Amino acid sequence: MSEFGTRESGALAVGWGRALVFAYGVFAVAATGRSVLQVSTEFDKAPLAYSLSLLAAAVYLVATTSLLLGGVTGWRVAAVAVSVELLGVLSVGALSYAATALFPDKTVWSHFGQGYGFLPLVLPFAGLAWLRHTRP
Amino acid sequence: MQCSGRILAQSRGWSQLRLSDEVLTTLSAVNGWVLGAVLVLSGVAGILLVVHLIRDRVVEDGMFVLLGVIELVLIGQLVAGCVALAQTDRDVSGALFVSYLIGNLCALPIGAFWSLAERNRAGTAVLLLAVLTVAALEVRLDAIWAGAV
């Protein structure tokens, strides 16, 4: 408990991390809203795409929260979340080009985040760079 | 008084249909203007913020006034958008539309508050991200209204 939010050493939401957390927060809200709506109203239309949307939302939420909390545990959880995010955007991005039939509707990550100005592709690299910089 | 009496008297006839059409046209024109205003204002704010970022200048009160003006326009858009949504018979996803209108209101206050603790380039970057979020939501809002989503 006490290792969370130790401002002196482990804070991740300071300096450029503050801008990073804001960007992750925007994506967490956007992806959560979108996926909850998709899954609750028209899940049968594109089950795989909408499940991946939900996964993306969860990853963004975990990344935002752990960056906000900071500390060693926060850093580790953030590192896992951002890595999953990078894997997700790369694999879903490639798959959405290769197997169009699987994706009748878009997810945050399809076409490498084209619908979101390719920010979903940039964000994990920025996140990993920041985590490298703040290694405990 | 005379005017409202006339409208009441005609309300059973064809003229009511024409009236609501007129209201609708006016409203969509207003929404078009609001959309343009938000995009232009956030474009100006975005450029100013990029200049601040490059020159490493701390954002001052004037910028927050500009962001406040954008926020006021967005509040107006929430009202106009809800009225337009209630009036239209087009196939617009209502919940999605209103959630974007409300979400668009949140970006700037949260961004401004979040940037205050970091009065340097990183804080300016937060404001820039907030303004970009508003512009992006605005474009999506237009697509939702057009029934594309």
Side-chain angles (χ1 to χ4, degrees):
Chain A
M1 195 67 183
S2 59
E3 74 179 11
F4 275 111
T6 43
R7 307 304 294 178
E8 304 80 25
S9 55
L12 295 172
V14 295
W16 287 107
R18 214 164 175 62
L20 188 71
V21 169
F22 187 79
Y24 267 100
V26 170
F27 271 91
V29 173
T32 306
R34 179 178 192 164
S35 62
V36 166
L37 197 76
Q38 285 176 333
V39 168
S40 63
T41 58
E42 39 182 20
F43 182 72
D44 296 332
K45 202 175 123 196
L48 179 67
Y50 294 161
S51 306
L52 285 169
S53 271
L54 204 61
L55 173 72
V59 167
Y60 285 127
L61 280 175
V62 170
T64 310
T65 313
S66 52
L67 285 173
L68 274 175
L69 292 174
V72 177
T73 313
W75 189 92
R76 285 194 189 124
V77 176
V80 172
V82 174
S83 306
V84 171
E85 182 200 351
L86 181 61
L87 276 177
V89 70
L90 289 179
S91 52
V92 173
L95 206 61
S96 60
Y97 278 112
T100 349
L102 282 175
F103 295 92
D105 198 1
K106 286 193 166 182
T107 76
V108 184
W109 287 339
S110 50
H111 305 110
F112 301 108
Q114 193 187 33
Y116 294 81
F118 293 106
L119 274 179
L121 185 60
V122 178
L123 209 52
F125 287 106
L128 286 178
W130 179 246
L131 287 172
R132 202 176 122 84
H133 181 73
T134 56
R135 237 178 346 218
Chain B
M1 197 64 191
Q2 196 192 356
C3 182
S4 68
R6 223 185 72 204
I7 292 170
L8 271 177
Q10 291 178 340
S11 65
R12 268 173 290 167
W14 54 271
S15 59
Q16 195 202 13
L17 209 93
R18 209 182 64 176
L19 186 75
S20 74
D21 264 359
E22 276 166 17
V23 170
L24 211 69
T25 316
T26 316
L27 267 172
S28 44
V30 166
N31 280 330
W33 276 101
V34 171
L35 174 82
V38 172
L39 286 181
V40 168
L41 285 170
S42 48
V44 170
I47 291 169
L48 286 173
L49 285 165
V50 169
V51 170
H52 276 75
L53 259 181
I54 293 170
R55 298 178 71 186
D56 198 5
R57 298 270 283 274
V58 173
V59 168
E60 287 174 18
D61 290 353
M63 182 65 73
F64 288 99
V65 171
L66 177 58
L67 298 181
V69 170
I70 300 177
E71 188 68 11
L72 283 178
V73 177
L74 290 176
I75 292 171
Q77 187 181 39
L78 174 67
V79 177
C82 287
V83 174
L85 182 67
Q87 298 267 333
T88 189
D89 18 319
R90 293 162 60 174
D91 189 21
V92 176
S93 171
L96 195 66
F97 188 68
V98 174
S99 65
Y100 267 77
L101 284 172
I102 294 172
N104 215 353
L105 280 186
C106 302
L108 288 181
I110 294 176
F113 180 74
W114 191 237
S115 79
L116 283 179
E118 207 75 51
R119 302 280 286 162
N120 51 35
R121 273 188 169 146
T124 311
V126 170
L127 289 180
L128 182 62
L129 285 171
V131 168
L132 286 177
T133 307
V134 167
L137 287 178
E138 201 65 23
V139 172
R140 286 272 296 166
L141 206 51
D142 192 44
I144 294 168
W145 180 252
V149 182

